[in-house]
Amino acid sequence: MEADELSSFYENTNLIGCSAALGRKYQIAASSQATIGSVYPELLGSHHKLVVESVLVTGFPRSIVIPPARKLFICRIKSGLLGIFETGEVAVSPFSLALEGDERVLLRHQALHDVLTGLPNRRQFSDDLDARFPVEGVERIALMQIDLDDFKPVNDTLGHAAGDLVLQGTAERLQAVLGEGDIAYRLAGDEFAVIQRSSSSMEAERLAESIVNAFKEPFTVEGIDVFVGASVGIAIALEDGNDGEQLMKAADIALYAAKNDGRGRARSFNRSMLIMLEQREMLRRSLRVALQERQFFLEYQPLIETDAIVGFEALLRWQHPYAGIVPPAVFIPLAEADGLMGEIGEWVLEQACRQAVNWPEHFTVAVNLSPAEFLRKGLTDRVANTLDSAGLSPERLELEITESVLLERTANNLDTLHTLEVMGIRISLDDFGTQYSSLAYLKNFPFDTIKIDRYFIKDVETDEKSQAIVRAIVALAHGLGMRVTAEGVETAAQAAWLRKLRCDRLQGNLLGAAMPPDSIRNFLRQSSMTS
C-alpha cells in the first residue's frame, strides 16, 4: 500500500493493517486493537452495516458517502477480509490526479488482484513481502511457494475453461485452510504463494501439510473428477533470509525439492538443498561440453533368452572429469530439459551400431530412445543412415521407447513406429507399468517386446501384488503375440519364478552386469550361456 493513501484492512471487524497516513489521521497505534467501528463508527448504522455485509457476501465493491466530505470505497480482498479506501477530497499520489474517487480505487484494486481467482496478484505479493522486511527480534514470517501437480493435462485434455475452474477451486481451497492474517496470492499460471505471519517452523509446516491435504480430493469439472495435487516449498525469515528476494529463492529451492521427491508434498528449505542445486547446475553446464570432450561412453548388459545370450542393451554412462561417474538418472533428465538429448542420442545410436557389428551375427543391440529423440523430425532417416554407415542389419537393432513418448502427437507416433517396423527394426516398450500404460497403443501397434520395469521384479518372489501384476503383463503380451523381458533380475529365486511363468527374456546383474565393449569378447568366451 502507498504511504499517502488512506487505506485499512479488517478481518472479523478487527483492524489488521492500515496505511501510515490513515494511522496518523485516526491516531491508530501499531499495536492497536482497533475495529472497523472505532475507525469508522458511521458504518455501524443499519444502512451502512448492510452495505458492508453485502460486500463481504457478494464480493462486489461498493461506495459509501459519509458527510460532509468523506467517501469510502469498500471491497472484499479475500473471504472474510475487507479493504476500505478513503477517497473524496483526500490528496493522493499523482496517479490519482487523472482519476476521481471510485474509479481510481477500483482500478487500483484491479491492478493488484487476479481477475480469475480474486486473489492478490504478483504485484501485490511483491509489495506485501517487501513491506515485511527487515524482520527483527522474535518476529517470524513464512513464505510458501505452491505449484499445482498435473495441471497441464487438465488444460490439454479438457480445455482452458476446465483449467480456469480448477484455478478458481484452488483459490477457494487455499483460503479455506489459511489462518488469521495469512494471505494467498496467485503469481502466474498454476503458481501460487502464501505469506504466513507470526509463524514458527512448526506452524508453517502444519499449514503446508494442510495445503497438500486440501488437494487430495478431486475437483469436479462438468461431472468429471479431476485430480490435481499441490507441491509446497517453505522458507522462514530470519532463518532462511531477511529480505524478500532471499526468502523467495529459498522457497523456490524447497519447492524444487518437493517436486523432485515425488510431488504432492511439502518441503522446508535447508542449506543442503542449496548445495545440491548448485551441484546440479554445475552438471548442467558441464553437459554442454561432455560430448565434445568425449566424456560419454557405453556399457552393455546381456539379454538372456532360454539360458542363452541373444544380445546386449547399450547403456549410456558419463565420466565427469571431477565428479566421477554420474548416474544416468541424474544427467539424462538434465540433458532432456536442455535439449541436448538429440545430439547425445545420435552419438549413442552410432556407437552402439558400430560396436554391434563385431558381435556374433545373431546378437541384437538394444538402444534407448528418449522422448526428445523420438519426437525430433527425421528420426527414421537418421536411423537408416546410421545403420548403412555402420553396416549393421536393421533386424539386429532394437529401439526401446518409454510410455511417456506415446503421450505426444498420437498419429505421428504411430506413423514413425510403423515406418521403423517396415525397415525391419524391432521396437520394445520399456518400463511398462510404471507410467501411463495406454492399452490402446498395444492394440494399435505390434511391439516386438514389452519390458517389465525392475520395480515389479525386485520383490516378485515374495510380494503377491507384484506377482499378480507380472502375471498379467506376461499374459497380456503373449496374448498379443509379443515377447516379454524382465529387467533387474538380481537373484536366482527371481529368475526361477520368471522362467516358470514363461517370461521370454531376463536381464540383470545375476545374468551379467553392464560391461565395457572391450570386455564382451572375454565374457562370451567364459559364459556358459553363449550358444
Side-chain angles (χ1 to χ4, degrees):
M1 66 185 70
E2 297 180 13
D4 56 357
E5 287 192 340
L6 299 178
S7 54
S8 52
F9 301 91
Y10 305 84
E11 191 167 41
N12 298 327
T13 74
N14 295 318
L15 179 71
I16 63 169
C18 66
S19 65
L22 187 132
R24 289 192 299 270
K25 179 175 181 178
Y26 294 100
Q27 299 181 342
I28 301 172
S31 59
S32 171
Q33 299 298 312
T35 66
I36 194 171
S38 60
V39 179
Y40 297 111
E42 297 89 348
L43 297 184
L44 297 179
S46 58
H47 173 69
H48 290 156
K49 187 176 181 180
L50 287 174
V51 172
V52 173
E53 291 176 350
S54 172
V55 172
L56 281 171
V57 171
T58 66
F60 189 80
R62 298 284 297 273
S63 294
I64 293 178
V65 176
I66 300 178
R70 285 185 300 167
K71 182 183 288 185
L72 306 183
F73 180 83
I74 305 174
C75 61
R76 188 178 70 186
I77 307 300
K78 67 169 188 173
S79 180
L81 181 62
L82 200 69
I84 299 181
F85 297 81
E86 189 170 332
T87 61
E89 298 179 354
V90 178
V92 291
S93 63
F95 168 74
S96 66
L97 297 178
L99 302 166
E100 293 297 331
D102 297 354
E103 184 182 1
R104 178 184 67 83
V105 180
L106 180 59
L107 287 177
R108 177 169 175 78
H109 177 78
Q110 292 173 341
L112 297 176
H113 289 78
D114 175 53
V115 175
L116 179 65
T117 63
L119 295 179
N121 60 17
R122 182 180 287 276
R123 180 182 171 188
Q124 182 69 66
F125 167 76
S126 298
D127 291 346
D128 289 354
L129 188 63
D130 290 342
R132 294 174 183 266
F133 289 100
V135 174
E136 299 176 347
V138 297
E139 183 183 1
R140 291 292 183 272
I141 67 166
L143 170 61
M144 299 175 200
Q145 298 277 61
I146 305 161
D147 263 10
L148 299 186
D149 303 324
D150 298 317
F151 175 74
K152 185 177 183 296
V154 176
N155 274 339
D156 292 345
T157 58
L158 299 179
H160 288 279
D164 288 348
L165 291 175
V166 170
L167 293 173
Q168 290 171 339
T170 295
E172 293 172 2
R173 293 189 184 189
L174 289 177
Q175 290 173 332
V177 299
L178 296 183
E180 183 176 346
D182 304 338
I183 303 178
Y185 305 82
R186 184 188 178 199
L187 303 184
D190 62 345
E191 301 173 20
F192 294 79
V194 166
I195 296 178
Q196 183 185 32
R197 67 176 188 173
S198 303
S199 175
S200 66
S201 59
M202 187 176 300
E203 289 170 334
E205 289 171 2
R206 197 157 40 230
L207 175 57
E209 286 300 323
S210 297
I211 292 172
V212 170
N213 291 333
F215 287 83
K216 290 186 176 178
E217 291 297 319
F219 293 89
T220 301
V221 179
E222 298 179 355
I224 301 173
D225 283 347
V226 176
F227 287 88
V228 174
S231 297
V232 184
I234 310 167
I236 298 177
L238 297 165
E239 290 87 334
D240 303 328
N242 199 19
D243 64 47
E245 186 176 346
Q246 289 178 346
L247 208 62
M248 283 187 67
K249 181 179 179 181
D252 275 335
I253 293 172
L255 175 61
Y256 175 85
K259 297 179 84 71
N260 200 46
D261 287 349
R263 305 190 302 177
R265 62 197 67 209
R267 289 289 181 266
S268 295
F269 173 79
N270 60 61
R271 296 296 169 185
S272 64
M273 291 178 181
L274 181 59
I275 295 171
M276 291 180 64
L277 187 64
E278 289 172 346
Q279 291 174 341
R280 189 178 180 88
E281 290 305 309
M282 180 271 291
L283 290 178
R284 174 174 273 119
R285 292 191 295 270
S286 300
L287 261 174
R288 296 192 172 275
V289 298
L291 192 59
Q292 286 74 20
E293 296 186 0
R294 299 186 178 183
Q295 296 172 9
F296 291 119
F297 65 96
L298 296 183
E299 290 188 329
Y300 295 89
Q301 188 167 41
L303 298 165
I304 310 302
E305 186 172 332
T306 58
D307 293 327
I309 300 170
V310 294
F312 293 85
E313 179 181 357
L315 302 171
L316 178 61
R317 302 289 187 251
W318 181 17
Q319 174 73 53
H320 189 277
Y322 306 114
I325 300 294
V326 182
V330 172
F331 75 81
I332 287 180
L334 294 178
E336 290 179 334
D338 286 357
L340 301 175
M341 272 313 295
E343 188 178 358
I344 294 172
E346 286 184 37
W347 178 87
V348 171
L349 181 62
E350 181 182 359
Q351 291 295 308
C353 289
R354 291 189 181 279
Q355 290 167 357
V357 168
N358 301 314
W359 304 343
E361 290 185 357
H362 63 283
F363 278 13
T364 61
V365 59
V367 178
N368 291 276
L369 281 184
S370 73
E373 294 174 79
F374 188 87
L375 296 174
R376 282 179 71 201
K377 291 182 178 179
L379 171 66
T380 54
D381 290 339
R382 288 195 301 273
V383 172
N385 292 335
T386 300
L387 289 171
D388 288 342
S389 176
L392 186 72
S393 170
E395 290 76 15
R396 295 183 60 190
L397 175 61
E398 185 168 354
L399 296 178
E400 298 187 1
I401 64 172
T402 60
E403 294 167 300
S404 58
V405 168
L406 305 178
L407 292 180
E408 305 282 345
R409 295 182 0 208
T410 305
N412 288 348
N413 286 347
L414 289 176
D415 288 344
T416 300
L417 291 174
H418 281 297
T419 302
L420 293 170
E421 179 194 24
V422 170
M423 292 167 58
I425 296 167
R426 307 182 188 195
I427 308 294
S428 291
L429 187 57
D430 199 9
D431 300 337
F432 187 78
T434 60
Q435 298 182 48
Y436 303 95
S437 303
S438 174
L439 299 182
Y441 275 101
L442 296 183
K443 178 182 177 182
N444 293 329
F445 181 78
F447 290 95
D448 293 279
T449 305
I450 291 177
K451 299 192 75 172
I452 306 175
D453 189 80
R454 64 184 66 245
Y455 173 79
F456 302 110
I457 303 301
K458 64 181 180 180
D459 57 359
V460 75
E461 60 204 278
T462 56
D463 186 80
E464 293 182 357
K465 292 182 179 179
S466 291
Q467 291 175 357
I469 291 171
V470 173
R471 283 195 192 99
I473 294 174
V474 172
L476 174 65
H478 287 171
L480 294 171
M482 304 173 188
R483 291 192 302 270
V484 181
T485 299
E487 295 182 298
V489 179
E490 306 290 331
T491 68
Q494 291 171 348
W497 192 91
L498 291 163
R499 287 190 175 109
K500 185 177 179 182
L501 193 63
R502 296 176 58 206
C503 183
D504 302 286
R505 288 183 178 181
L506 306 183
Q507 180 181 356
N509 289 334
L510 173 71
L511 306 156
M515 65 192 78
D518 55 8
S519 299
I520 290 178
R521 185 180 298 275
N522 190 49
F523 172 78
L524 293 176
R525 187 182 300 118
Q526 297 179 0
S527 175
S528 61
M529 294 179 290
T530 302
S531 59

